[in-house]
Amino acid sequence: MPKTSLSPRENIDADLAAMRTASRAQSVESLALGEGLLKHFSEHLSFDEMLFVLRLCASGCESAGRWLEALQFCRRGVDLAARNHKHLESIAFLTVTGSIHAFLRNMHLAIRAMREAILIAEQQQLLEHQIRLLLALGQMYSRLDLHETALDLYRRASEFAGEAKHAPMRIGALDHIAGSYRLMQKLDQAELHMEQALQIVQTQANRDLMPHLLHTRAGIYAARGNFAQALVDADASVAQLRVSNNVPVLLRLLLDCAAWRQAMGDVDGAQAHLREASALPPEKSLYEMREELALARVRLERMHQQPERALLALDDYLKARADGITIKIESQRIATQFVEDVERTEARGRRESAAVNELTLRLIETQAETQRIARQVSRDPLTGVLNRSAFELAAERVAGGASQPVALIILDIDNFRIVNIDHGHLAGDKVLEVVVERIRQALRTNDLLGRFAGDEFFLLCLGVGPRIGAAIASRILKRISEQPVLYEGHSISVTVSMGVACAQTKALSTLPYLVKRADAALRRAKLAGKNRTVTVRVNT
């Protein structure tokens, strides 16, 4: 309740000061202050104050287990931040949204939130945020056993971290890559990436990451059946994790240690690890590992003919199971309600958009533009990408919007005429289709792709400067060349050359000039030996 003797601003300043000095453990207490501010003084809060209060309320609701309310606070924060172009705040709220959905096992909603955050980070060239988000999204796919998808995300994060010279993030990405290869039973590749991560740790002295690397390497040793060496690394990791009090990671490692000792016949050692794991705080969110722990204890106590201890372990299993059922029921309820809320918001947006579109359509009809647009907005019949007219029209619309950096990429398939001569035009069509599909896999959701000539494609990447434009081109180059195209038993090697011209969107009003610069860069790439990209900056 507001203090009646104070003015609204004095009430706000007093509560905000208390919220800013509160520790993370006091997030539930801060929640009451935040909800009071939103209820009594929302019209007096500045924009930044409102975002701060919404963020604290979302965190407090998450800690209190009020997950749907936390998601609603996040949605308000995302909408407010988007309207005022506060991109970092949008990413923060979307990340919390993804974290809550992932905890509730609503992975499709978690992935949706993270991808939305990644898109913002890409558009705003927030490279470090993009790396963190890619790693988090990769972990979500890994939990779904989609290890190839996770691996691709980890590789991109590692590549970006290398570009940014951010050693801790590169170590983390290599650790995740090694872990994914281990889960896929590609142990040689797992060891190779683990060695790279350990070398960086030694040179950069990022010792706080060592427990995670040792845990991953221990898993690789165990997968090879070398449990003794696995336990050497695991014991060193356990000692460091005890100090950091990282309960989830420590619990997982102790369970692994117990399994490896039991595989070696060291039942007493396995029991010691399980006892230590049982003494950790029984966090509700860790119900799956708690179930695994309790069942392992039941098996070992029965082996030692300790029925009373086995019953105690069984009781712990039932408690963990009950927590899991509670979370799953709440998860289903929240997913349903959250999706319905989103659908209502989107339906309202569609109605408003439909009204705007109707007015726009009438204007176009009065200007006799309908037929011209219908002819121009079409797609290439072979590849399905925009044709030249549609691409140029889209570029004109982008040029008329807000000023932002753009990269125009011209891509040409190397030696395409030889493919047609050696294998026939149907093989050439197959190469075009495969190249387009690989380009699409490397592009972002809002990038434009069009076909201008036989084997020449144009790409327009919005919101990116020379560095990111070159990175996108490099990703396309690698994805196209890493595997040959298979056609009627023939293996056709395919490479491309690219020219990248980077400018502001106002340069798109003179698209032919920007095309000329990108085409010149493409010719330089061809003359330099093909299978490469050349980037130029256009001053406007």
Side-chain angles (χ1 to χ4, degrees):
M1 289 293 292
K3 304 171 183 66
T4 55
S5 61
L6 300 178
S7 68
R9 176 41 57 182
E10 288 173 330
N11 269 291
I12 291 170
D13 290 342
D15 287 348
L16 287 176
M19 293 169 71
R20 289 191 178 103
T21 56
S23 66
R24 187 175 181 85
Q26 294 175 301
S27 58
V28 177
E29 289 85 345
S30 297
L31 173 61
L33 294 174
E35 290 180 317
L37 286 174
L38 293 175
K39 180 178 180 181
H40 299 291
F41 302 112
S42 59
E43 69 276 12
H44 298 287
L45 292 172
S46 70
F47 166 70
D48 289 330
E49 289 171 342
M50 178 65 81
L51 284 176
F52 173 75
V53 172
L54 289 173
R55 193 165 62 248
L56 264 291
C57 286
S59 178
C61 284
E62 183 181 10
S63 299
R66 292 161 52 184
W67 298 300
L68 180 58
E69 292 171 79
L71 291 169
Q72 290 168 339
F73 280 124
C74 286
R75 177 48 55 188
R76 287 177 62 183
V78 168
D79 293 341
L80 184 62
R83 286 198 302 271
N84 291 272
H85 308 291
K86 292 285 188 177
H87 306 295
L88 290 176
E89 294 285 357
S90 293
I91 290 172
F93 281 112
L94 286 167
T95 302
V96 174
T97 299
S99 174
I100 293 172
H101 281 310
F103 165 70
L104 294 171
R105 304 301 192 270
N106 294 326
M107 300 307 294
H108 62 295
L109 294 175
I111 289 170
R112 174 178 174 173
M114 297 306 291
R115 286 202 172 277
E116 189 176 345
I118 288 172
L119 179 59
I120 296 171
E122 286 180 341
Q123 291 174 334
Q124 302 305 316
Q125 302 183 50
L126 302 171
L127 193 56
E128 288 191 14
H129 287 81
Q130 192 176 344
I131 296 167
R132 292 190 184 94
L133 292 166
L134 286 169
L135 292 175
L137 182 59
Q139 289 175 284
M140 292 177 183
Y141 278 111
S142 183
R143 286 172 61 179
L144 295 171
D145 292 329
L146 298 173
H147 301 302
E148 288 284 2
T149 304
L151 194 57
D152 186 52
L153 293 166
Y154 295 149
R155 287 194 189 109
R156 286 176 60 190
S158 176
E159 178 184 329
F160 291 154
E163 292 176 12
K165 293 182 171 52
H166 198 298
M169 287 185 177
R170 177 133 165 81
I171 293 167
L174 290 169
D175 183 33
H176 285 303
I177 291 171
S180 292
Y181 276 128
R182 180 185 67 81
L183 292 170
M184 296 163 65
Q185 291 301 305
K186 297 181 178 180
L187 302 182
D188 289 341
Q189 289 163 297
E191 286 183 344
L192 176 64
H193 286 84
M194 179 51 53
E195 287 174 6
Q196 292 178 20
L198 288 169
Q199 286 174 1
I200 299 174
V201 168
Q202 296 297 334
T203 57
Q204 299 290 332
N206 293 282
R207 297 297 176 182
D208 54 330
L209 297 172
M210 186 60 78
H212 304 280
L213 299 181
L214 291 174
H215 187 183
T216 303
R217 190 170 70 174
I220 298 170
Y221 283 133
R224 291 193 182 279
N226 188 352
F227 298 112
Q229 188 59 53
L231 286 166
V232 171
D233 278 350
D235 288 342
S237 180
V238 165
Q240 297 180 55
L241 288 171
R242 287 188 186 119
V243 177
S244 65
N245 199 29
N246 190 331
V247 173
V249 178
L250 180 56
L251 178 55
R252 177 70 268 162
L253 182 53
L254 289 170
L255 285 168
D256 290 342
C257 287
W260 298 335
R261 288 198 182 278
Q262 191 171 357
M264 294 177 64
D266 182 5
V267 178
D268 291 337
Q271 280 188 311
H273 285 303
L274 294 179
R275 280 195 294 271
E276 181 178 353
S278 300
L280 295 173
E283 295 183 13
K284 183 179 289 188
S285 62
L286 304 178
Y287 69 89
E288 289 179 324
M289 284 193 286
R290 287 166 51 210
E291 288 179 14
E292 182 183 345
L293 168 62
L295 289 176
R297 287 169 53 205
V298 169
R299 286 192 293 268
L300 284 181
E301 299 299 353
R302 288 181 62 190
M303 287 174 58
H304 279 69
Q305 297 183 346
Q306 296 287 341
E308 292 183 359
R309 291 182 179 177
L311 287 172
L312 289 173
L314 185 59
D315 185 54
D316 287 345
Y317 171 79
L318 294 175
K319 290 177 182 176
R321 186 71 172 165
D323 285 341
I325 292 171
T326 299
I327 290 174
K328 287 176 182 177
I329 292 173
E330 185 68 3
S331 167
Q332 293 170 357
R333 183 184 73 83
I334 287 173
T336 301
Q337 190 164 344
F338 184 79
V339 169
E340 289 176 350
D341 288 344
V342 171
E343 287 178 346
R344 280 194 292 270
T345 302
E346 291 178 347
R348 184 169 63 250
R350 286 194 297 269
R351 288 194 298 271
E352 294 171 353
S353 177
V356 173
N357 288 341
E358 185 177 356
L359 292 173
T360 304
L361 181 59
R362 289 177 183 174
L363 177 62
I364 291 173
E365 288 172 344
T366 60
Q367 296 174 342
E369 290 291 325
T370 305
Q371 290 184 350
R372 184 177 71 84
I373 291 177
R375 287 194 303 270
Q376 289 181 332
V377 181
S378 58
R379 293 187 174 271
D380 173 59
L382 175 63
T383 61
V385 302
L386 296 174
N387 64 16
R388 180 168 186 157
S389 297
F391 186 92
E392 289 177 344
L393 181 61
E396 288 175 9
R397 290 176 176 170
V398 171
S403 178
Q404 60 176 315
V406 293
L408 177 68
I409 303 175
I410 300 182
L411 178 150
D412 187 83
I413 301 175
D414 296 329
N415 305 316
F416 184 67
R417 188 170 62 87
I418 296 175
V419 173
N420 285 329
I421 293 172
D422 291 349
H423 303 283
H425 288 280
L426 291 179
D429 288 349
K430 178 66 175 179
V431 168
L432 289 172
E433 291 172 351
V434 172
V435 165
V436 165
E437 179 57 30
R438 292 177 183 177
I439 293 172
R440 281 178 168 145
Q441 291 172 0
L443 289 181
R444 307 167 308 158
T445 55
N446 63 331
D447 294 333
L448 298 175
L449 172 61
R451 183 182 180 190
F452 265 50
D455 62 330
E456 189 174 69
F457 295 88
F458 279 36
L459 296 83
L460 188 62
C461 302
L462 309 182
V464 302
R467 181 168 52 83
I468 300 299
I472 293 172
S474 177
R475 195 159 69 234
I476 293 171
L477 198 75
K478 179 181 178 183
R479 193 173 286 274
I480 289 174
S481 63
E482 62 186 356
Q483 289 184 340
V485 175
L486 301 179
Y487 178 76
E488 293 187 348
H490 296 286
S491 179
I492 305 173
S493 297
V494 180
T495 62
V496 298
S497 299
M498 283 178 282
V500 186
C502 300
Q504 290 292 315
T505 46
K506 63 181 180 180
L508 293 177
S509 59
T510 56
L511 183 61
Y513 175 68
L514 196 59
V515 170
K516 182 179 179 181
R517 295 300 306 277
D519 194 47
L522 171 62
R523 289 198 302 273
R524 287 169 56 191
K526 290 282 190 181
L527 292 172
K530 304 179 181 179
N531 190 24
R532 67 194 63 227
T533 178
V534 172
T535 303
V536 297
R537 187 194 297 270
V538 177
N539 295 321
T540 56

